[in-house]
């Protein structure tokens, strides 16, 4: 399988090129592959206020960032979303809304457009209503389709984000056909990464290699048919590639995430790593956190790399892979990402893949993202 490439190696020159503002972890959906923390409900009372988010936006802009995404959870649950979009626009940001579409009425969309919103990324899981609703644990399909129609009717550039796993990988052809009919310019089929809720459900979610090959063939056929009229991005899971992805283009290189409580992180998953000090913008200037904090300096660059990464000719391509994945699969965030076939711990990935290839398996129910679904003992294990 060819590896999906952008052809670009981004150098932020010490600046965060992309900033994710996780305004809230609240969400009306219960997706079993969510990358929000397992204890997401504990953050509700600690969300930054409107004025605190505005201060964070000023500090992010001073760092040189130009593009940001309002995300969550579901960012539409923040009543001040339009105010924050308008403020970000006044600072010169290119603003993106990353949404499930639930709560995106025409009135709200027009208000966001008036505020300066430039781009929308909408998630959709299937073309079949019963499948979408079963996967997200809510009656959401019709609302998502209406959100997509409104986004295009009001001439927003749009990315359709389709998380891919065993249950919906057969929807690729129908999804592209539907997107073409609506006039969507960009569709991303993102084979999910296995963190947090997705890791808990990995055995049930992971597609087989044959399923991925079949879906990729469908994508390539549509690419040939459509030419430049639509960009179709198909992200192959690194469990099958033999090499890890350059996670966030390297730790603390170009990406900055701000959690609902203002904690700044190199990626949205970093909080799973024990022993690191996570600092909120309430407590320290963001410029210091980005440039000087032990958290952002911990795995930045190449000097920290262990063997076999430190002597690998590909280290400047993948930067040792994902620290969170290394932690979750091997118990040590400093290890080589086990998705790499050169890792001495690659066996844990081979074992996971072997489970997905078994034709007859006992089907376990997916653990839905919901308050209290995971015990404290599990999270501390």
């Amino acid at each position: 399988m060819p590896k999906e490439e952008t052809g670009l190696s981004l150098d932020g020159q010490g600046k965060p090129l992309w900033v994710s503002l996780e305004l809230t972890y609240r969400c009306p959906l219960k997706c079993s592959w969510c990358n929000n923390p397992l204890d997401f409900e504990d953050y509700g009372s600690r969300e930054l206020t409107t004025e605190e988010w505005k201060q964070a936006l000023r500090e992010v802009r001073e760092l040189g960032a130009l593009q940001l995404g309002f995300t969550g959870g579901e960012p539409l649950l923040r009543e001040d979303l339009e105010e924050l979009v308008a403020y970000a626009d006044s600072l010169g940001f290119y603003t993106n809304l990353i949404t499930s579409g639930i709560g995106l009425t025409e009135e709200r969309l027009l208000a966001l457009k008036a505020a300066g919103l430039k781009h929308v990324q909408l998630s959709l899981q299937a073309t079949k209503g019963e499948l979408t609703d079963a996967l997200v644990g809510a009656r959401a399909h019709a609302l998502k389709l209406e959100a997509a129609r409104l986004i295009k009717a009001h001439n927003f550039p749009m990315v359709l984000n389709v998380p891919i796993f065993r249950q919906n990988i057969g929807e690729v052809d129908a999804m592209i056909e539907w997107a073409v009919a609506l006039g969507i310019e960009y569709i991303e089929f993102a084979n999910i990464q296995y963190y947090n809720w997705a890791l808990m459900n990995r055995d049930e979610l992971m597609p087989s290699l044959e399923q991925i090959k079949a879906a990729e063939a469908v994508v390539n056929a549509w690419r040939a048919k459509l030419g430049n009229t639509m960009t179709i991005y198909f992200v192959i899971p690194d469990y099958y590639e033999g090499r890890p992805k350059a996670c966030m283009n390297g730790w603390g290189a170009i990406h900055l995430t701000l959690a609902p409580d203002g904690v700044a992180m190199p990626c949205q998953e970093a909080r799973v790593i024990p022993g690191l000090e996570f600092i909120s913008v309430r407590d320290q200037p963001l410029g210091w956190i980005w440039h000087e904090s032990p958290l952002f300096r911990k795995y930045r660059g190449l000097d920290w790399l262990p063997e076999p990464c430190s002597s690998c000719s590909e280290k400047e391509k993948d930067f040792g892979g994902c620290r969170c994945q290394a932690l979750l699969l091997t118990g040590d965030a400093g290890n080589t990402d086990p998705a790499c076939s050169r890792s001495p711990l690659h066996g844990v990935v081979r074992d996971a893949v072997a489970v997905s290839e078994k034709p007859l398996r006992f089907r376990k129910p997916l653990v839905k993202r919901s308050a209290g679904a995971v015990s404290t003992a599990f999270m501390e294990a």
Side-chain angles (χ1 to χ4, degrees), residues 80 84 99 130 136-137 162 170 249 274 331:
D80 58 357
L84 293 175
T99 178
E130 64 274 17
V136 304
V162 185
N249 214 67

Side-chain angles (χ1 to χ4, degrees), residues 134-241:
L135 288 169
V136 304
R139 295 181 65 85
H141 185 75
L143 298 174
K144 286 175 172 286
L145 296 189
E146 175 63 8
R149 186 193 67 79
L150 288 171
I151 291 164
K152 294 312 302 172
H154 291 288
N155 300 312
F156 277 97
M158 175 181 169
V159 171
L160 183 70
N161 180 269
V162 185
I164 292 293
F165 32 83
R166 177 182 292 268
Q167 287 81 353
N168 71 343
I169 196 167
E171 282 276 289
V172 169
D173 185 58
M175 190 68 74
I176 298 175
E177 184 176 12
W178 175 82
V180 169
L182 195 62
I184 293 171
E185 307 92 341
Y186 192 112
I187 183 169
E188 178 177 0
F189 293 103
N191 278 279
I192 59 172
Q193 297 293 317
Y194 294 98
Y195 310 105
N196 297 341
W197 296 89
L199 180 61
M200 185 187 309
N201 290 295
R202 184 182 63 186
D203 289 351
E204 295 301 314
L205 290 172
M206 188 184 294
S208 69
L209 179 59
E210 289 306 311
Q211 286 179 303
I212 292 170
K213 286 181 176 179
E216 187 181 30
V218 170
V219 166
N220 288 335
W222 274 103
R223 285 170 172 165
K225 179 179 179 179
L226 297 173
N228 295 325
T229 60
M230 176 188 283
T231 299
I232 308 174
Y233 195 57
F234 187 77
V235 183
I236 299 168
D238 52 10
Y239 275 50
Y240 288 107
E241 284 189 310

Side-chain angles (χ1 to χ4, degrees), residues 37-320:
L38 299 180
D39 58 343
F40 68 91
E41 68 270 21
D42 294 343
Y43 293 85
S45 63
R46 306 205 302 269
E47 291 179 10
L48 295 184
T49 65
T50 305
E51 293 308 311
E52 286 174 325
W53 274 119
K54 288 181 177 179
Q55 174 63 31
L57 283 167
R58 290 193 294 272
E59 294 186 35
V60 167
R61 188 69 185 87
E62 289 170 4
L63 280 173
L66 288 172
Q67 185 163 205
L68 56 82
F70 291 97
T71 182
E74 175 47 65
L76 288 164
L77 288 175
R78 287 281 303 216
E79 295 181 356
D80 58 357
L81 177 60
E82 290 85 349
E83 183 177 351
L84 293 175
V85 169
Y87 191 72
D89 184 67
S90 74
L91 294 175
F93 283 106
Y94 184 88
T95 51
N96 299 261
L97 175 65
I98 303 170
T99 178
S100 68
I102 310 304
L104 190 62
T105 62
E106 185 165 29
E107 180 182 11
R108 194 106 196 251
L109 187 62
L110 288 172
L112 287 166
K113 190 168 190 176
L117 183 67
K118 299 298 191 294
H119 190 279
V120 182
Q121 179 173 319
L122 175 73
S123 65
L124 184 63
Q125 291 72 32
T127 58
K128 303 181 183 72
E130 64 274 17
L131 180 55
T132 297
D133 292 351
L135 288 169
V136 304
R139 295 181 65 85
H141 185 75
L143 298 174
K144 286 175 172 286
L145 296 189
E146 175 63 8
R149 186 193 67 79
L150 288 171
I151 291 164
K152 294 312 302 172
H154 291 288
N155 300 312
F156 277 97
M158 175 181 169
V159 171
L160 183 70
N161 180 269
V162 185
I164 292 293
F165 32 83
R166 177 182 292 268
Q167 287 81 353
N168 71 343
I169 196 167
E171 282 276 289
V172 169
D173 185 58
M175 190 68 74
I176 298 175
E177 184 176 12
W178 175 82
V180 169
L182 195 62
I184 293 171
E185 307 92 341
Y186 192 112
I187 183 169
E188 178 177 0
F189 293 103
N191 278 279
I192 59 172
Q193 297 293 317
Y194 294 98
Y195 310 105
N196 297 341
W197 296 89
L199 180 61
M200 185 187 309
N201 290 295
R202 184 182 63 186
D203 289 351
E204 295 301 314
L205 290 172
M206 188 184 294
S208 69
L209 179 59
E210 289 306 311
Q211 286 179 303
I212 292 170
K213 286 181 176 179
E216 187 181 30
V218 170
V219 166
N220 288 335
W222 274 103
R223 285 170 172 165
K225 179 179 179 179
L226 297 173
N228 295 325
T229 60
M230 176 188 283
T231 299
I232 308 174
Y233 195 57
F234 187 77
V235 183
I236 299 168
D238 52 10
Y239 275 50
Y240 288 107
E241 284 189 310
R243 291 290 183 276
K245 292 177 175 61
C247 188
M248 302 301 178
N249 214 67
W251 180 278
I254 66 168
H255 183 93
L256 170 66
T257 290
L258 292 179
D261 58 352
V263 164
M265 298 178 287
C267 74
Q268 64 266 31
E269 310 297 339
R271 229 168 185 164
V272 302
I273 301 176
L276 300 179
E277 182 181 6
F278 295 93
I279 302 170
S280 173
V281 294
R282 285 172 168 149
D283 302 317
Q284 289 287 352
L286 188 54
W288 180 86
I289 297 174
W290 172 263
H291 288 296
E292 303 297 335
S293 71
L295 170 66
F296 276 83
R297 293 167 66 93
K298 177 71 173 178
Y299 300 113
R300 182 177 271 155
L302 300 172
D303 292 343
W304 67 272
L305 288 172
E307 287 292 353
C309 299
S310 61
S311 58
C312 179
S313 61
E314 299 181 23
K315 64 184 178 183
E316 294 187 18
K317 296 180 181 178
D318 59 36
F319 310 101

